[in-house]
């Protein structure tokens, strides 16, 4: 549905060059929700602006839907080796709706007219436009606000109007650039569930740009993690959450789960993490369909280890359990070895946070 290959974009400033996109490649499947997460300045907004040619990448290739590949060369868009026409670029943009953090509504127009605005000059008559606007108002549950002005709406309601406007001409793709970043948690939840509903019911493909992992976790199928203009890690949301590889992904995961926060909790509560000689402080992560409690009980029985629970966290992600515990593992040396092997075999990933079996350097 969306395929991006080797996209590059550098801004030339007086103070020096800023590489906003550095060899960015990814694919978004039709009908999926693709998250792009990164801290401020990572290049996320540049990426969405490049996707619909609001900004021209210096080089690379973009293919949208069944369309031909748009090849960017020296900051120019070409198709089949010739310059892309203005008409072709407009057609490409019409297939991509966009929503932003700051809503971008026209304050002097009513909700109804804001949504009708992009439908003007599209060959539809008044009646058709009216019918479509009411459909859209219904879709975003704002039929009772048709005649009010944006200033009379809450942030969440404004974003609903923006979504209706973005979808007015039935684009198969919606790009969302920090659409929930200015909203309180309740409004954020309502907008995310609306986006998910639009994705499920209408099959709209969504590219979701955000700096919040909770947003990705809530509705994305896959996620790309961006840093300094590059995608440093990409994958299924569950896989990234259960086993982040890049340092920055680990930080994002930590920011949105108790399990990830355990390191800092342990650092802040030294007494929590105190272990005696021969003991180990471990983090056990339950992967895939593993039923944690059962495995722990049988591990204790079969191998003679003892596990003293300190912290636990569990949740459901993409319909699968994700969670783990931090605890103190103890027992005879050979039991501990056996116990750890047993856990690994039964899809419990065992990470040693502190190992009391070896002498600590420098002493505590
Ligand atoms: N129009 C521009 N002119 C110059 N530099 C820009 C422009 N747009 C973005 N940048 C720079 O590119 C980098 C990426 O910015 P941006 O894509 O907005 O990141 P993000 O959306 O992840 O916060 C930043 O260093 C930013 O300062
Ligand atoms: Mg941005």
């Amino acid at each position: 549905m969306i395929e991006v290959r080797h996209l590059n974009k550098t801004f030339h400033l007086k103070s020096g060059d800023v590489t906003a996109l550095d060899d960015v490649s990814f694919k978004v499947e039709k009908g999926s929700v693709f998250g792009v997460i990164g801290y401020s300045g990572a290049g996320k907004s540049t990426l969405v602006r490049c996707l619909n040619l609001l900004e021209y990448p210096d080089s690379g290739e973009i293919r949208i839907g069944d369309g031909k590949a748009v090849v960017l060369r020296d900051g120019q868009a070409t198709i089949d080796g010739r310059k892309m026409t203005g008409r072709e670029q407009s057609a490409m943009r019409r297939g991509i709706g966009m929503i932003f953090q700051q809503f971008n509504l026209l304050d002097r127009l009513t909700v109804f007219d804001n949504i009708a605005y992009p439908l003007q000059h599209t060959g539809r008559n008044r009646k058709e436009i009216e019918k479509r606007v009411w459909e859209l108002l219904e879709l975003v549950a704002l039929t009772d606000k048709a005649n009010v002005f944006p200033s009379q709406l809450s942030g969440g309601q404004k974003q609903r109007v923006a979504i209706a406007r973005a979808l007015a001409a039935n684009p198969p793709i919606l790009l969302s650039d920090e659409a929930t970043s200015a909203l309180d948690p309740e409004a954020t939840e309502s907008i995310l569930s609306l986006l998910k509903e639009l994705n499920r019911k209408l099959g709209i493909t969504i590219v979701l740009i955000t700096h919040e992992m909770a947003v990705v976790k809530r509705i994305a199928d896959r996620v790309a993690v961006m840093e300094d203009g590059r995608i440093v890690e990409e994958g299924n949301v569950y896989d990234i959450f259960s086993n982040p590889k890049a340092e920055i992904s680990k930080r994002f995961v930590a920011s949105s789960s108790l399990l990830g926060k355990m390191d800092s909790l342990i650092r802040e509560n030294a007494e929590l993490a105190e272990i005696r000689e021969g003991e180990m402080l471990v983090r056990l992560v339950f992967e895939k369909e593993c039923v944690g409690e059962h495995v722990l009980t049988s591990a204790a029985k079969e191998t003679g280890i003892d596990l003293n629970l300190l912290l636990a966290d569990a949740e459901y992600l993409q319909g699968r359990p994700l969670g783990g515990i931090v605890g103190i593992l103890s027992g005879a040396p050979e039991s501990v070895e056996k116990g750890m092997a047993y856990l690994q075999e039964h899809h419990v990933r065992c990470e040693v946070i502190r190992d009391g079996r070896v002498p600590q350097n420098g002493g505590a």
Side-chain angles (χ1 to χ4, degrees):
M1 165 101 279
I2 302 176
E3 188 173 0
V4 167
R5 297 174 61 180
H6 307 299
L7 224 53
N8 289 289
K9 175 76 186 177
T10 298
F11 292 105
H12 304 284
L13 307 173
K14 275 189 198 143
S15 50
D17 288 354
V18 177
T19 302
L21 298 179
D22 184 357
D23 197 24
V24 168
S25 302
F26 62 89
K27 257 191 208 171
V28 179
E29 292 297 326
K30 188 175 178 188
S32 69
V33 180
F34 188 85
V36 177
I37 188 164
Y39 292 114
S40 176
K44 308 180 298 296
S45 294
T46 305
L47 177 62
V48 283
R49 292 171 59 77
C50 282
L51 273 185
N52 64 2
L53 302 180
L54 283 174
E55 192 103 63
Y56 291 120
D58 299 327
S59 61
E61 223 177 278
I62 300 169
R63 193 195 298 268
I64 304 281
D66 305 325
K68 289 183 172 168
V70 177
V71 176
L72 288 308
R73 220 176 274 141
D74 305 320
Q76 251 197 10
T78 65
I79 284 186
D80 286 338
R82 59 164 176 83
K83 198 170 168 228
M84 199 180 181
T85 65
R87 194 182 283 242
E88 285 169 328
Q89 296 191 26
S90 309
M92 184 169 156
R93 285 187 198 116
R94 267 200 305 278
I96 306 176
M98 272 190 103
I99 52 172
F100 308 90
Q101 179 173 351
Q102 61 279 17
F103 321 121
N104 294 0
L105 300 179
L106 297 159
D107 293 334
R108 292 169 63 185
L109 297 184
T110 61
V111 164
F112 189 99
D113 290 337
N114 262 285
I115 299 172
Y117 192 78
L119 292 171
Q120 258 125 50
H121 316 294
T122 55
R124 291 173 174 83
N125 65 37
R126 231 184 113 104
K127 252 205 157 126
E128 288 167 331
I129 293 179
E130 261 181 37
K131 180 167 173 278
R132 179 67 183 142
V133 173
W134 283 110
E135 268 171 24
L136 290 157
L137 282 167
E138 206 142 303
L139 193 66
V140 300
L142 278 184
T143 44
D144 56 329
K145 300 288 181 193
N147 296 311
V148 311
F149 290 89
S151 61
Q152 294 162 274
L153 298 176
S154 70
Q157 290 169 333
K158 283 181 195 168
Q159 197 56 285
R160 283 171 183 271
V161 178
I163 290 170
R165 185 187 54 184
L167 297 181
N170 274 311
I173 299 171
L174 181 67
L175 303 182
S176 164
D177 190 355
E178 304 278 9
T180 57
S181 297
L183 304 178
D184 62 51
E186 212 169 299
T188 293
E189 170 51 32
S190 92
I191 292 299
L192 291 178
S193 74
L194 173 62
L195 291 177
K196 192 73 195 175
E197 192 186 318
L198 296 170
N199 166 251
R200 283 216 188 105
K201 272 198 199 153
L202 309 177
I204 295 173
T205 305
I206 300 180
V207 178
L208 189 84
I209 305 286
T210 180
H211 67 280
E212 291 170 293
M213 207 59 176
V215 167
V216 165
K217 205 164 161 178
R218 175 71 177 77
I219 69 164
D221 302 304
R222 292 183 72 81
V223 60
V225 184
M226 272 190 92
E227 185 177 32
D228 294 334
R230 283 175 302 114
I231 291 181
V232 293
E233 187 166 4
E234 199 235 302
N236 179 288
V237 168
Y238 188 93
D239 295 338
I240 302 261
F241 266 92
S242 58
N243 198 7
K245 302 248 162 33
E247 256 337 288
I248 185 169
S249 315
K250 288 180 187 166
R251 273 164 68 195
F252 275 120
V253 170
S255 70
S256 79
S257 83
L258 181 59
L259 195 63
K261 281 185 197 128
M262 281 176 181
D263 286 342
S264 54
L265 281 174
I266 287 164
R267 237 179 289 124
E268 286 158 19
N269 300 280
E271 72 273 22
L272 187 76
E274 256 170 37
I275 52 171
R276 287 191 296 252
E277 209 177 295
E279 292 180 341
M280 271 194 291
L281 185 65
V282 293
R283 178 187 359 240
L284 305 178
V285 181
F286 305 132
E287 292 180 321
K288 306 266 152 67
E289 277 70 36
C290 149
V291 184
E293 195 187 342
H294 175 74
V295 175
L296 294 184
T297 316
S298 50
K301 270 195 203 142
E302 304 253 330
T303 68
I305 50 166
D306 240 335
L307 190 69
N308 191 0
L309 217 85
L310 297 181
L311 294 163
D313 188 28
E315 64 185 314
Y316 263 76
L317 194 57
Q318 298 181 335
R320 290 146 77 189
L322 173 70
I325 61 172
V326 168
I328 293 174
L329 192 73
S330 59
E334 64 279 9
S335 297
V336 169
E337 291 293 334
K338 254 197 246 163
M340 282 173 65
Y342 185 96
L343 292 171
Q344 300 282 12
E345 265 166 42
H346 291 80
H347 307 288
V348 178
R349 203 173 66 241
C350 190
E351 299 168 14
V352 179
I353 301 170
R354 200 168 282 173
D355 193 343
R357 294 174 307 169
V358 290
Q360 305 278 307
N361 287 335

